[in-house]
Amino acid sequence: MHVLQNVVFPLDRDPDLLPLYVDPETWSVIDREPVRLSSRAQLGNIVDRRSARIVAGRRASFGTYFNAFPASYWQHSTAVRDITLTVRTSGPATILVYRSTGTGVKQRLKTREVEGKTTSSFDFTLNQYSDGGWIWFDIVADEKAAMFEGAEWTTSQEPVRTGKASLGITTFNKPDYCVATLTSLAESPEVLDLVDRIFVVDQGDHRVDAQPEFAEVAASLGETLQIITQSNLGGSGGFSRAMHETLKRPESDFVQLLDDDVRIEPESLRRSIVFGQYCTEPTIVGAHMFDLLDRPKLHAWAEVVDEEPFMWRTLYQEKMPHDFSRANLRQTPLLHMRLDADYNGWWMCLIPVEVVREVGLSLPAFIKWDDAEYCLRAREAGYSTVSLPGVALWHVSWVGKDDQIDWQAYFHARNRIVTALLHSDVPDGGTLLRHSRRMDLKQLMMMQYYATELRHRALRDVLKGPQHMRANLATALPDARALAASFPETVVHKEAGVPLRSRRGRQAFKNLGTPEHDSPTGLRLRWFTASTLFSHWLHTPRPANVAQPEVEFSKSDAMWWRVPHYDSALVSAADGSGKNIYTRDRAQFRRMLRESVRLHHRLRKEWPQLAAKYRAALPELVSNDAWAKTFEVDA
């Protein structure tokens, strides 16, 4: 029998993680008033990674994110139809097996009473899960405590592919995270059985192999681990290096990409590789992302790229992120649907070597849109992407970041447009350029001149043609950071005992629900935009407001329809580390507004020719030979 999925408990004794593994909402006392045990009490009943104590008269549900079986995804992407659930227990208990439909309706499939030391097997056929649905089990202890001693989901069917995966971890000055990941892998032999090589592509100057703990974990992993050092080529350069090295490994059928600032669930790595082995066609298998700083919170279920604005988003984004500490899997019908993704983030993503050989390596994008572009390119070649439930890790979230106004603004703007030139079938990119132009207007009205200058640099580079992408791969980041010195708003002013103050004080807003409650729309929006642009074009700021910020905003209140009313503003940094001062500059505003109009007009005019150039250049841009030259190694 081949194990598709093991039932596991958290690696860490962290109460916040428990709802992802064992459902705390269904621990209750039979024949008495329901009792919800605290997470700490439940953790006390977990014996080890694979076993737990079920207290007398209480119930534990494994209908959870990590331990329910995602039947609809296995039915949709693989030829597996017959599976077996095997549950090992000791003591008097009742095992109840359930399924759900694509709308989240629960149905009981089987029930079995057990005594003593028992191994219970349940067989299922995957033929009614096309729209969605999970299978899971609960255990209810009788008058005495029972022991859950392990469970797994298996099949007798053979996989389509039998090769292993090589892992590619790209890092830039996150050595502590990387050592923790390597340690988790070294302690997970069931994962290492499926791993050919672990490539750590170190692009920083705080080296992974210089950490005190590295020698021990390296000795444990032996020749499986390979450290590669190279200059900082961003995520696209690091992951392309992992693809490049994996292509040399005949034992590898897959390359598993992993970000550096993550905490892994080793069972998820095993599951993703096994799922890839069973897919009837080569399939990109992506992982979900939980928030490392708020660990029960799921970022997204499936992500897509909308054609018209050519912008990424998560499906049902109004319901994301989802907090499993507030609503478990069984309480959330949305999570029972099978949702198809256009792409998956490269925080953790399994790519078959067959796909890499046919569609190439990453676009030399440095960061941003490289993962989305790759999956769109693969889809055009006939390879789909599956974001597989039950496969996930914890990644540092975007809370406390605003990468649309720092050096990353260049990569956001350039790579979105380049990806659209490569893959959009909508004439002239649809509404993309209109959206880009509006972004310029918003940032100009908010006095974010640095971000606007970076966006214009990005547009000018796009107009140069595809050859610029590899030419500035190693220089675009330092150039963008160097440019910040010319823009005072990029300085974060730390409060060292004496608080920074504005002339008119901090602005507060009554409605604390959504920050968009007072945003202008319709005719009001048009009037606001026209009058603000006219005012900023004509008037210089008052000297008193240049000498000292006129008003102060919290980061969440500093919206594009509020800040432009003032000559200057003191705004809290996204991470709370200090404050930025934004000051109106009429000369900058006039120059950048004219440049925005010019660049967007030219992009609109040259779009068909640019699209043809970029598409013609794509095979060379992403080829293994071209990347080998960048790495200065043999192909």
Side-chain angles (χ1 to χ4, degrees):
M1 298 293 283
H2 301 278
V3 177
L4 306 180
Q5 182 170 311
N6 291 304
V7 173
V8 295
F9 294 107
L11 285 171
D12 302 330
R13 296 187 66 79
D14 184 344
D16 286 345
L17 290 178
L18 203 61
L20 304 178
Y21 293 85
V22 180
D23 195 344
E25 296 293 336
T26 59
W27 292 71
S28 59
V29 177
I30 298 175
D31 296 331
R32 281 185 279 162
E33 289 298 314
V35 175
R36 179 180 177 181
L37 297 181
S38 70
S39 293
R40 184 172 295 276
Q42 296 165 40
L43 280 174
N45 290 320
I46 294 176
V47 177
D48 56 30
R49 179 79 161 144
R50 302 294 302 277
S51 61
R53 183 182 303 104
I54 313 297
V55 177
R58 292 202 167 102
R59 177 181 188 133
S61 175
F62 293 85
T64 57
Y65 178 85
F66 278 120
N67 283 325
F69 185 79
S72 62
Y73 290 81
W74 278 89
Q75 176 178 320
H76 180 71
S77 297
T78 78
V80 173
R81 290 298 173 264
D82 298 316
I83 64 169
T84 298
L85 166 65
T86 302
V87 183
R88 293 175 295 282
T89 56
S90 61
T94 302
I95 302 173
L96 305 99
V97 184
Y98 299 91
R99 65 153 290 183
S100 63
T101 66
T103 57
V105 176
K106 182 178 74 172
Q107 300 172 342
R108 188 189 296 185
L109 296 178
K110 299 182 181 183
T111 305
R112 187 170 302 170
E113 294 185 359
V114 294
E115 293 277 352
K117 197 171 186 67
T118 306
T119 298
S120 304
S121 296
F122 305 88
D123 295 326
F124 307 97
T125 301
L126 302 181
N127 59 3
Q128 296 180 333
Y129 299 89
S130 59
D131 289 336
W134 301 73
I135 308 174
W136 70 90
F137 65 97
D138 293 1
I139 300 178
V140 182
D142 290 347
E143 72 281 359
K144 297 180 181 179
M147 286 294 298
F148 168 72
E149 298 180 347
E152 54 275 329
W153 305 82
T154 62
T155 185
S156 60
Q157 294 179 233
E158 295 296 322
V160 178
R161 296 161 201 84
T162 57
K164 297 182 177 183
S166 284
L167 275 55
I169 303 172
T170 295
T171 182
F172 180 80
N173 292 345
K174 299 283 176 54
D176 49 344
Y177 281 103
C178 290
V179 170
T181 296
L182 295 175
T183 301
S184 294
L185 290 169
E187 295 172 350
S188 305
E190 70 283 359
V191 178
L192 293 179
D193 287 343
L194 297 172
V195 172
D196 178 25
R197 284 290 183 271
I198 301 172
F199 300 113
V200 176
V201 184
D202 196 335
Q203 304 186 128
D205 49 17
H206 300 307
R207 294 280 299 275
V208 174
D209 54 9
Q211 300 307 298
E213 307 86 354
F214 177 78
E216 182 179 351
V217 71
S220 177
L221 291 170
E223 65 177 11
T224 302
L225 175 63
Q226 183 175 339
I227 303 292
I228 299 169
T229 59
Q230 64 183 33
S231 58
N232 185 14
L233 305 177
S236 64
F239 289 132
S240 287
R241 184 62 181 271
M243 295 177 189
H244 171 82
E245 298 296 335
T246 301
L247 289 175
K248 301 176 183 178
R249 303 289 309 171
E251 298 87 353
S252 290
D253 277 352
F254 309 93
V255 55
Q256 175 77 269
L257 306 181
L258 276 175
D259 218 335
D260 54 357
D261 50 349
V262 300
R263 293 283 295 274
I264 65 169
E265 165 51 78
E267 171 65 15
S268 286
L269 284 168
R270 201 196 68 80
R271 291 177 188 177
S272 66
I273 298 169
V274 171
F275 186 82
Q277 289 176 331
Y278 274 94
C279 285
T280 52
E281 298 175 344
T283 301
I284 297 173
V285 183
H288 289 155
M289 188 198 98
F290 283 92
D291 187 343
L292 184 57
L293 304 180
D294 192 359
R295 299 181 76 180
K297 193 168 287 184
L298 178 72
H299 161 65
W301 201 257
E303 295 184 280
V304 297
V305 176
D306 286 332
E307 269 287 298
E308 268 296 314
F310 207 85
M311 189 62 190
W312 57 36
R313 68 175 174 89
T314 176
L315 289 175
Y316 297 96
Q317 58 187 357
E318 71 280 1
K319 298 182 182 295
M320 294 292 165
H322 178 76
D323 189 346
F324 279 90
S325 69
R326 294 181 175 271
N328 62 34
L329 178 66
R330 296 171 304 104
Q331 293 172 321
T332 314
L334 171 65
L335 304 186
H336 294 253
M337 297 172 58
R338 196 197 82 234
L339 298 180
D340 296 335
D342 287 342
Y343 76 98
N344 201 96
W346 278 356
W347 44 75
M348 177 175 159
C349 192
L350 183 87
I351 304 176
V353 167
E354 296 163 80
V355 176
V356 179
R357 292 192 189 283
E358 181 170 346
V359 308
L361 282 59
S362 173
L363 191 71
F366 195 82
I367 60 169
K368 305 300 178 188
W369 282 90
D370 45 357
D371 45 16
E373 188 282 326
Y374 194 92
C375 291
L376 293 177
R377 191 185 343 145
R379 185 179 67 180
E380 291 172 2
Y383 303 111
S384 61
T385 297
V386 174
S387 294
L388 182 62
V391 170
L393 48 59
W394 291 267
H395 187 284
V396 175
S397 74
W398 297 278
V399 175
K401 298 180 182 179
D402 190 352
D403 58 12
Q404 292 282 357
I405 63 172
D406 66 10
W407 57 268
Q408 297 174 82
Y410 171 87
F411 299 101
H412 273 294
R414 184 196 65 174
N415 295 342
R416 179 186 176 194
I417 292 174
V418 167
T419 304
L421 287 167
L422 290 170
H423 302 293
S424 175
D425 293 325
V426 181
D428 299 330
T431 58
L432 167 58
L433 294 182
R434 186 194 311 167
H435 184 274
S436 176
R437 190 167 58 245
R438 287 176 178 171
M439 179 68 78
D440 275 5
L441 294 181
K442 288 180 180 180
Q443 291 186 326
L444 284 173
M445 290 190 293
M446 290 187 70
M447 301 167 276
Q448 295 169 348
Y449 303 120
Y450 172 62
T452 306
E453 182 61 34
L454 285 177
R455 288 177 44 78
H456 290 173
R457 178 177 289 188
L459 269 56
R460 286 191 288 269
D461 282 348
V462 170
L463 287 163
K464 291 177 184 176
Q467 69 280 357
H468 87 274
M469 297 195 73
R470 194 170 299 281
N472 76 359
L473 181 60
T475 60
L477 169 59
D479 288 350
R481 283 181 164 162
L483 184 65
S486 303
F487 294 89
E489 75 265 20
T490 62
V491 177
V492 178
H493 299 269
K494 312 285 185 178
E495 294 180 337
V498 180
L500 293 168
R501 299 190 185 280
S502 63
R503 293 180 58 245
R504 297 172 56 182
R506 188 182 178 100
Q507 304 299 297
F509 298 88
K510 295 180 181 179
N511 191 324
L512 300 179
T514 61
E516 294 81 12
H517 73 277
D518 61 342
S519 63
T521 58
L523 290 176
R524 184 167 160 250
L525 171 60
R526 294 186 180 186
W527 170 252
F528 169 82
T529 304
S531 61
T532 301
L533 293 175
F534 186 73
S535 175
H536 283 215
W537 183 276
L538 287 182
H539 303 298
T540 58
R542 295 179 180 178
N545 295 333
V546 175
Q548 182 181 7
E550 183 178 3
V551 293
E552 180 180 352
F553 287 96
S554 68
K555 183 63 180 177
S556 60
D557 283 337
M559 308 303 287
W560 59 268
W561 59 90
R562 295 172 183 158
V563 174
H565 291 294
Y566 305 97
D567 286 341
S568 57
L570 186 63
V571 180
S572 300
D575 62 0
S577 62
K579 297 175 182 177
N580 300 85
I581 298 175
Y582 295 92
T583 305
R584 197 152 56 79
D585 184 326
R586 186 176 68 173
Q588 291 270 41
F589 176 84
R590 287 180 170 183
R591 179 181 65 81
M592 291 183 177
L593 184 59
R594 284 193 293 260
E595 183 70 351
S596 178
V597 172
R598 186 187 72 83
L599 288 171
H600 285 94
H601 174 75
R602 187 177 165 195
L603 269 173
R604 175 76 67 188
K605 181 180 178 182
E606 298 180 24
W607 187 274
Q609 294 79 13
L610 283 169
K613 288 180 181 178
Y614 276 88
R615 295 183 189 199
L618 181 61
E620 173 63 18
L621 279 175
V622 301
S623 72
N624 190 40
D625 289 344
W627 273 108
K629 292 176 183 176
T630 301
F631 303 141
E632 297 181 343
V633 297
D634 294 330

